[in-house]
Amino acid sequence: MWVRSEYTSELAVLAAWVSLLVPWNVVYHTRATVEGFPIVEGTVFFLRFAFFELQFRQDTIVEGELGIENVAELLEVTYPGTELAANVYITSPPTSATFYDGTLWQASVLWTVAAAALALAFALSIALYFRTDETVERLPVSEVRLMGILLGIATVGMVGASVLYYLERDVVGTPVPAGVVVVGAFSLVLLRTKPLPEDEK
């Protein structure tokens, strides 16, 4: 893909910012059952962004001998998160990694790796936005290629996490990695971008 040289840095900055803003994983889990308590049912909506996850926990129905007052505690045992408002929770990749074990721990670790790559991409984008010439001169490779590599690492981490979340879909629901496609597409475009021949020195 050919791009005028004066726009390559802007393309890298735009790709990084959009990658941070788009939710890379969306889940609507209509039957949230707690292990050991199969009579607990509810709905949890997950929005996973680069650095945090928002959870919207809807009213839960309890049938049998358990009292309704135990529902919130049971959900807290199943999902990590700090309550922001009524039924709205937030968590981060490292927090999820320390909360879960097994497959969900591995998924959270991959998400953490992706978040670290996106944090570096964001730092690079800020440097490119405010000090373009100085940043480009100091980089060992093209700023566009470096951004493409960082977004590629994030994509691999998020794809791996999505696969592992899918394996545990009975607990966390079926993941829809919509944002992963966007980040991956940006990575591919950046890695294939070249300045127009007449712009090359």
Side-chain angles (χ1 to χ4, degrees):
M1 177 178 172
W2 299 99
V3 177
R4 294 191 65 85
S5 58
E6 63 264 29
Y7 298 131
T8 54
S9 294
E10 284 85 348
L11 177 62
V13 170
L14 177 64
W17 291 358
V18 172
S19 297
L20 289 176
L21 294 175
V22 66
W24 67 269
N25 194 290
V26 178
V27 180
Y28 184 70
H29 194 24
T30 57
R31 184 181 175 92
T33 58
V34 180
E35 184 178 355
F37 300 92
I39 58 175
V40 178
E41 299 180 10
T43 300
V44 182
F45 183 70
F46 299 92
L47 273 177
R48 295 188 180 104
F49 293 87
F51 305 133
F52 63 92
E53 171 187 275
L54 288 177
Q55 302 170 12
F56 303 91
R57 304 177 186 177
Q58 296 183 4
D59 292 340
T60 304
I61 301 171
V62 176
E63 301 174 356
E65 298 179 359
L66 288 178
I68 193 68
E69 66 275 8
N70 294 323
V71 172
E73 295 178 9
L74 294 175
L75 290 176
E76 287 179 4
V77 170
T78 306
Y79 306 112
T82 301
E83 189 170 12
L84 294 177
N87 296 326
V88 179
Y89 291 75
I90 189 170
T91 189
S92 66
T95 302
S96 295
T98 58
F99 182 87
Y100 290 121
D101 56 12
T103 303
L104 290 177
W105 173 79
Q106 294 172 347
S108 299
V109 168
L110 286 176
W111 178 20
T112 303
V113 171
L118 288 172
L120 291 174
F122 178 67
L124 175 60
S125 72
I126 293 298
L128 289 172
Y129 186 79
F130 290 105
R131 295 181 176 271
T132 305
D133 294 335
E134 297 90 329
T135 302
V136 170
E137 289 176 2
R138 293 181 180 181
L139 293 176
V141 296
S142 161
E143 75 277 15
V144 176
R145 183 168 299 278
L146 180 56
M147 187 67 76
I149 291 171
L150 291 172
L151 295 185
I153 294 170
T155 300
V156 171
M158 292 184 292
V159 168
S162 296
V163 171
L164 294 174
Y165 281 130
Y166 180 79
L167 296 177
E168 293 292 331
R169 60 190 178 278
D170 290 340
V171 177
V172 295
T174 303
V176 180
V180 177
V181 176
V182 176
V183 179
F186 273 128
S187 174
L188 187 60
V189 167
L190 291 171
L191 290 173
R192 294 173 61 88
T193 294
K194 297 178 181 178
L196 288 170
E198 59 266 26
D199 292 340
E200 293 180 343
K201 295 181 180 180

